């Protein structure tokens, strides 16, 4: 937490665009270095850049093309890199100044065709990746491009253990926030690997690390809306706890206060906290999956639908308000109203999954006096 906070503070006050973010962080990496490989995205309304640290004082970055989405599990993912552009024009690629010498000196370019595949040069391909990382990338690509490739069966183009899964693809349709939430909540629904599948084989159920896992703590989806004035363009969709069972709600950025329901998380478990309520819902719904899953689906739909409705209403109010101070107050009022809605829906769902799980207690007993 401390390291991430320091990183954000050392960048965000010095940049005005995603590209400047890459340049700022790249300069810091070249000067101070880092002890581990990692990745970070920078986003503005026009561009998204993905930066990977590849050891010590070295880094690479690629602009995400406008017509694609990128998939990143917990491993280095870039699968192509134009070193010439990165060291000269910097139109779509950037890197540390000595990257060419670093690669040559350490014989890192493993390509037989002359290009540079950073995943081969800097990434990992071990057995753990085939359980922990590549299956997640496979499922997301399969979800957004179900007909583009063959993902299943003996003649599949790619499998959950493929090391050459594309880093990015053009989706078969436009992607919504709800699509992203579904992908990040995946437990391999519709495949033999779903741990909740009632009729699946024990040989395949749960063998891969889900995306929506019990240890999820926080999910944030930043939506930069190009058709909305810049002052209230950015919306952050937020969810806590296991993504398979949580609900995400939208909140305006560019505010000075966070609603108490989201901001009051302490070590004390409390239903007055969105975080702890989400944790309780997840634990109970997991233990009563077959009877609770429809409550979760309705909860997610209700929060998303009402979230959109509240955004639409306050967007219109913000467009009509000429005073900047009053617009700031409107954004915070909107966030409080969204938080109030979220609290009502979360409490209602918590009660429902508690009822379902209570019916499964080992001391359950019923007797008819009729």
């Amino acid at each position: 937490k401390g390291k991430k906070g320091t990183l954000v503070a050392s960048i965000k006050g010095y940049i005005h665009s995603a590209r400047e973010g890459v340049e700022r962080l790249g300069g810091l990496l070249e000067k101070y270095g880092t002890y581990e490989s990692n990745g970070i995205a920078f986003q503005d309304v026009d561009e998204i850049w993905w930066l990977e640290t590849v050891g010590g004082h070295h880094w690479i970055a690629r602009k995400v093309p406008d017509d694609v989405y990128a998939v990143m599990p917990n491993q280095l993912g870039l699968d192509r890199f134009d070193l010439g552009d990165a060291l000269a024009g910097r139109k779509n690629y950037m890197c540390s100044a000595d990257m060419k010498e670093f690669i040559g000196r350490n014989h890192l370019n493993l390509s037989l065709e002359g290009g540079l595949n950073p995943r081969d040069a800097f990434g990992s391909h071990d057995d753990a990746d085939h359980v922990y990382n590549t299956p997640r990338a496979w499922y997301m690509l399969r979800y957004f491009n179900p007909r583009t490739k063959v993902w299943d069966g003996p003649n599949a183009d790619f499998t959950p253990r493929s090391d050459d899964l594309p880093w990015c693809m053009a989706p078969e349709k436009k992607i919504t926030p709800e699509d992203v939430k579904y992908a990040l909540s995946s437990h391999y629904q519709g495949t033999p690997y779903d741990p909740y599948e009632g009729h699946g084989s024990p040989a395949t159920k749960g063998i891969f690390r889900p995306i929506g896992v019990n240890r999820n703590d926080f999910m944030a989806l930043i939506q930069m809306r190009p058709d909305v004035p810049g002052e209230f363009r950015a919306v952050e969709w937020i969810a806590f706890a296991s993504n398979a069972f949580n609900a995400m709600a939208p909140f305006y950025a560019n505010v000075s206060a966070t609603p108490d329901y989201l901001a009051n998380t302490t070590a004390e478990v409390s239903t007055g906290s969105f975080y702890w309520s989400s944790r309780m819902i997840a634990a109970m719904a997991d233990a009563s999956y077959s009877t609770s899953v429809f409550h979760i689906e309705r909860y997610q739909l209700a929060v998303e639908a009402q979230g959109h409705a509240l955004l639409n209403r306050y967007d219109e109010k913000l467009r009509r308000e000429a005073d900047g101070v009053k617009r700031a107050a409107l954004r915070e009022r909107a966030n409080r109203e969204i938080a109030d809605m979220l609290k009502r829906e979360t409490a209602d769902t918590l009660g429902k999954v508690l009822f379902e799980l209570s019916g499964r207690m080992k001391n359950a007993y019923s007797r008819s006096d009729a």
Side-chain angles (χ1 to χ4, degrees):
K1 182 178 179 181
K3 290 183 290 185
K4 291 180 180 178
T6 302
L7 175 64
V8 171
S10 64
I11 296 173
K12 72 173 185 177
Y14 301 87
I15 65 173
H16 303 88
S17 68
R19 181 181 291 268
E20 288 184 10
V22 173
E23 293 170 342
R24 169 72 179 174
L25 179 56
L28 293 173
L29 288 167
E30 290 184 52
K31 183 175 182 179
Y32 298 106
T34 179
Y35 66 92
E36 65 179 356
S37 298
N38 223 318
I40 184 171
F42 292 91
Q43 169 189 5
D44 59 40
V45 71
D46 297 312
E47 294 185 338
I48 300 173
W49 282 81
W50 177 254
L51 180 150
E52 293 183 343
T53 63
V54 296
H57 298 258
H58 304 95
W59 59 275
I60 57 176
R62 181 183 175 185
K63 177 186 171 185
V64 181
D66 291 341
D67 61 344
V68 308
Y69 65 95
V71 168
M72 286 300 310
N74 286 14
Q75 64 181 147
L76 297 182
L78 292 177
D79 55 3
R80 58 171 294 183
F81 198 79
D82 186 337
L83 198 56
D85 179 49
L87 293 171
R90 290 193 158 194
K91 181 179 180 181
N92 296 303
Y93 298 85
M94 288 190 263
C95 67
S96 47
D98 66 341
M99 181 56 65
K100 184 176 181 179
E101 292 75 17
F102 175 67
I103 292 172
R105 183 171 61 250
N106 294 284
H107 310 289
L108 294 174
N109 191 349
L110 305 182
S111 173
L112 297 175
E113 301 173 355
L116 174 62
N117 184 334
R119 193 181 299 174
D120 291 337
F122 310 114
S124 60
H125 309 282
D126 55 34
D127 293 337
D129 285 322
H130 299 150
V131 174
Y132 197 84
N133 290 318
T134 56
R136 290 185 283 162
W138 169 82
Y139 189 86
M140 286 190 280
L141 294 165
R142 179 181 182 270
Y143 175 67
F144 290 119
N145 288 81
R147 292 172 292 276
T148 306
K149 301 288 184 180
V150 178
W151 304 100
D152 302 281
N155 298 316
D157 297 310
F158 299 103
T159 75
R161 293 186 172 93
S162 294
D163 286 320
D164 59 346
L165 289 159
W167 176 69
C168 65
M169 292 185 73
E172 295 178 7
K173 65 177 183 64
K174 294 180 180 179
I175 294 174
T176 67
E178 290 80 6
D179 289 329
V180 176
K181 172 64 171 69
Y182 183 88
L184 294 179
S185 302
S186 158
H187 45 86
Y188 304 107
Q189 301 94 305
T191 78
Y193 315 116
D194 185 352
Y196 298 105
E197 175 56 57
H199 306 288
S201 166
T204 56
K205 287 174 58 175
I207 63 172
F208 298 133
R209 191 267 203 200
I211 302 172
V213 72
N214 64 321
R215 292 183 292 106
N216 296 139
D217 253 1
F218 177 76
M219 189 213 80
L221 188 160
I222 300 173
Q223 184 180 13
M224 306 288 284
R225 304 177 296 167
D227 57 336
V228 175
E231 190 180 77
F232 54 99
R233 170 178 293 152
V235 169
E236 185 173 11
W237 295 78
I238 294 174
F240 290 147
S242 176
N243 289 342
F245 303 103
N246 62 15
M248 68 173 189
F251 293 90
Y252 285 104
N254 197 17
V255 293
S256 58
T258 300
D260 191 56
Y261 187 51
L262 284 81
N264 69 352
T265 304
T266 68
E268 181 180 351
V269 178
S270 169
T271 55
S273 159
F274 180 46
Y275 172 79
W276 286 116
S277 293
S278 298
R279 285 280 303 271
M280 287 185 274
I281 287 173
M284 288 188 281
D286 173 89
S288 57
Y289 185 82
S290 62
T291 54
S292 289
V293 65
F294 81 97
H295 294 306
I296 300 300
E297 291 169 352
R298 292 177 180 179
Y299 169 49
Q300 292 168 340
L301 288 171
V303 170
E304 289 165 3
Q306 292 178 73
H308 279 295
L310 287 165
L311 281 183
N312 290 339
R313 190 203 313 165
Y314 276 94
D315 278 352
E316 187 58 34
K317 290 181 178 181
L318 287 162
R319 284 188 173 95
R320 292 199 305 264
E321 180 55 65
D323 185 273
V325 174
K326 291 181 179 179
R327 286 197 302 271
L330 272 174
R331 290 193 297 275
E332 295 196 2
R333 192 171 88 193
N335 285 355
R336 289 194 298 271
E337 190 168 343
I338 292 168
D340 289 343
M341 173 275 294
L342 182 60
K343 187 174 184 178
R344 289 193 304 271
E345 294 294 340
T346 302
D348 179 66
T349 303
L350 179 59
K352 289 173 178 174
V353 296
L354 174 60
F355 177 83
E356 299 292 352
L357 184 57
S358 297
R360 295 188 173 204
M361 292 174 64
K362 289 183 173 59
N363 63 355
Y365 185 81
S366 62
R367 183 179 66 182
S368 173
D369 292 328

